[in-house]
Amino acid sequence: MALLLIDNNDSFTYNLHHQIIRLTGIETSVIFYDAMKDHNLSQYDGYIISPGPGHPSEYPDYSILFKLEKPIFGVCLGMQLINSYYDGEVSRLSECRHGVTLNIEYMDDIEEVAVYNSLYCNKVADGLEVIANYKNIPMALRHKQLPYAGVQFHSESFMTPNGDKILNDMLNSIGIV
Amino acid sequence: MEIKYSMICSIVLESFNKKEFLTFVKAIAEYSETDVLFSGEGYNGEDKSSCFIMPSESFEITQETKLDDVRKFIYMDDREVLGFLSYDYGLELKGITSDKERDIELGLLKKYLVYARHENNKLTIESDSPEIIDSIIEAYECYEIKDDNLESCDVSCNMTAAEYESKVAEIIEYIRDGQTYQLNLSMMFETEMEVEPMELWAKMAESHPAPFYAFINSLEGEIISTSPERFLRVEDGHVKSQPIKGTYRFSEYTPELDKMLTDSRKETAELSMIVDLIRNDISESCEVGSVKVDNHKYIMKVDNLLQMYSDVSGELNSDKDVIDLLFSAFPGGSVTGCPKKRSMELIEQLEPHARGIYCGSIFTIKDSKNMDSSIAIRTGFCKDEELKFFAGSGIVADSEPHKEYLESVSKAEKFLESFK
């Protein structure tokens, strides 16, 4: 198995890269978003979309990725990109939070997670289900049929105590093991 | 012909305190071109100072420089390299175009004929020539201490308080749009320089000690750095970075103030963000699973400021060297913001000045697995009898514009006081 991590010029990409390799042992390559359209994407068995600055509408090239129908896991902007591809909406939060932790409802537990959060999925796309929440903010989403999932928070942050377990669960749920 | 510098000759001066070291530096600077790294009194574990005398080879870093050219120069022999990278070189690395006028080269590496090390009240002078060592000792012994008082001079700033504050408000809008989570905004001060740059530097080193003072003769002028911040250190492949974020200005120190800073949600978030960023930046060159946050939210006192910092460590990958690490992690995230590239694009658009050496890095490299470096903050550049210095602060979503302005000015205070 081989994975591709697409870096939206973010500053947490390699934290995620190390965490994925450490947990799965799967060879994971990193390319910049700008290089995606000229890259042979079909050689990989799954994709990870990094966090990054700005709104999903600034990243139109991701539509190529969704046509491949292979596992996709998105973090922060990455999750918002999945939501936007399926016609969900992403807009400004009334109170943005960066570099802090929140106690969110995750499956049946409460988890402390790190957030870097200016925008949120204010309307979740029909094909997606919300699997974690903080008040009215969707904190994790999963596609109802396809192996796509994402988290709004940062499992790779040093501030997320159970980050390894959460990432492992999420990757397992879309068939990346 | 290959020249081997073995540094076989050395002489040790015992009972040589930091004040004498500064006098030594001033004496030798009059005699020959001299660059210095200096750690002031009172910094645990940061006791080493070095004086680099008579540069014999140098290498200028330009847009065209390849990392292998850098390696070739640094690894050509065993002598330690002193060098710097300007912030503007960071723009080049990230592919960000700038049409601002640059007054300093993008970077410079230097090797020397003489190295003088100061540690534990002992000065060791090394060279491969006993004659040169003798001439240096003689220059020091003949030196007459002058007492150049700094003349008061008008200092101008390229932003008014209102301008700085309106830029802070603009940055908060970018943060709310998710374009950046934290951004460092700086301003530039200018004044005439009537004394020798070395005199000003040595006076500041004595009156306002900090762990990472540096004085470097660049090709274009003199760098006067009074930084408290380490960027990256590598010792036999063990990597350590110590980002600083979170500032509290005090007039009288009490230990309760430490708690005030560590309890602040805003200051903690500023530091935590940069810790995650530094983990990322060193991970590119470190072994998977090795990157750790050892100490979070430690406090240091520098001048009249309390500063919070963390220790982030990792193990250099066996197929990487210190040059891979330095160039991929540059410029330091604590002076750009997060995420780094978009924050730097916004800084380029928001600040009227080129940062030059400010927010760049000053470093020494011994070999492929050993280096130390500072972030060139609290730093000025002297050229054509004019001094530019800079100060800034990290803007986050809940920043108050006027407080950020005051924080920036407080970081410029030690320079401003010198011209009063």
Side-chain angles (χ1 to χ4, degrees), chain A residues 8-19 21-22 34 51-55 58-59 76 91-102 114 116-119 154 156-159, chain B residues 172-182 265 268-291 293 296 337-342 397:
Chain A
N8 298 305
N9 281 302
D10 194 50
S11 284
F12 305 140
T13 306
Y14 283 88
N15 298 340
L16 194 56
H17 186 235
H18 276 206
Q19 195 181 26
I21 296 175
R22 193 163 45 76
D34 298 332
H55 189 273
E58 296 166 46
Y59 300 83
C76 199
S91 67
R92 267 189 183 193
L93 267 172
S94 56
E95 192 191 346
C96 60
R97 300 176 185 90
H98 302 98
V100 294
T101 63
L102 298 174
Y116 290 91
N117 209 184
S118 291
L119 308 180
H154 292 254
E156 80 287 357
S157 169
F158 79 107
M159 292 175 278
Chain B
I172 292 171
E173 287 305 304
Y174 284 123
I175 294 173
R176 292 173 51 79
D177 279 337
Q179 297 294 344
T180 173
Y181 327 132
Q182 170 170 176
R265 193 173 155 87
T268 298
E270 271 188 46
L271 179 64
S272 299
M273 257 184 257
I274 300 306
V275 167
D276 264 339
L277 177 146
I278 294 290
R279 289 171 64 230
N280 173 79
D281 287 0
I282 71 170
S283 285
E284 239 184 297
S285 307
C286 284
E287 282 172 24
V288 170
S290 72
V291 176
V293 181
H296 188 41
C338 188
K340 193 186 278 181
K341 188 181 178 194
R342 184 63 58 88

Side-chain angles (χ1 to χ4, degrees), chain B residues 64-246:
Chain B
E64 282 78 39
T65 300
K66 305 269 183 299
L67 282 197
D68 277 338
D69 302 331
V70 172
R71 287 194 179 91
K72 210 169 152 189
F73 179 82
I74 294 179
Y75 302 149
M76 72 174 152
D77 57 35
D78 289 344
R79 286 177 300 159
E80 188 173 38
V81 158
L82 174 67
F84 70 84
L85 293 176
S86 74
Y87 175 84
D88 299 340
Y89 183 64
L91 293 174
E92 297 287 332
L93 282 176
K94 299 287 172 203
I96 300 168
T97 51
S98 170
D99 52 13
K100 292 173 192 168
E101 201 183 319
R102 288 174 179 164
D103 57 5
I104 183 169
E105 63 267 28
L106 292 176
L108 186 67
L109 308 171
K110 294 166 95 171
K111 292 203 182 216
Y112 304 80
L113 294 180
V114 187
Y115 293 77
R117 316 279 183 190
H118 186 259
E119 194 178 4
N120 298 328
N121 273 346
K122 211 163 76 178
L123 184 75
T124 308
I125 307 168
E126 294 175 339
S127 172
D128 68 342
S129 153
E131 292 79 23
I132 293 180
I133 294 186
D134 287 346
S135 71
I136 284 178
I137 298 284
E138 197 189 327
Y140 173 57
E141 282 171 347
C142 298
Y143 178 69
E144 283 173 38
I145 297 176
K146 284 174 294 194
D147 208 11
D148 271 7
N149 276 322
L150 297 177
E151 302 276 323
S152 69
C153 271
D154 288 340
V155 178
S156 64
C157 179
N158 72 341
M159 282 184 220
T160 62
E163 282 165 345
Y164 191 87
E165 288 166 28
S166 90
K167 283 177 197 286
V168 173
E170 201 179 330
I171 292 163
I172 292 171
E173 287 305 304
Y174 284 123
I175 294 173
R176 292 173 51 79
D177 279 337
Q179 297 294 344
T180 173
Y181 327 132
Q182 170 170 176
L183 186 143
N184 233 64
L185 178 68
S186 73
M187 50 187 144
M188 181 176 83
F189 299 84
E190 284 176 281
T191 185
E192 277 172 40
M193 268 290 273
E194 284 171 4
V195 293
E196 285 296 314
M198 171 60 87
E199 280 293 324
L200 170 66
W201 179 87
K203 272 208 159 66
M204 291 177 79
E206 228 175 298
S207 59
H208 295 87
F212 296 98
Y213 264 69
F215 183 91
I216 300 181
N217 294 279
S218 80
L219 300 175
E220 302 285 341
E222 294 86 17
I223 296 168
I224 297 179
S225 182
T226 76
S227 172
E229 184 167 358
R230 167 167 282 135
F231 179 30
L232 298 160
R233 184 182 78 187
V234 186
E235 281 182 332
D236 298 328
H238 307 298
V239 179
K240 183 170 163 182
S241 181
Q242 291 179 303
I244 296 180
K245 272 288 152 205

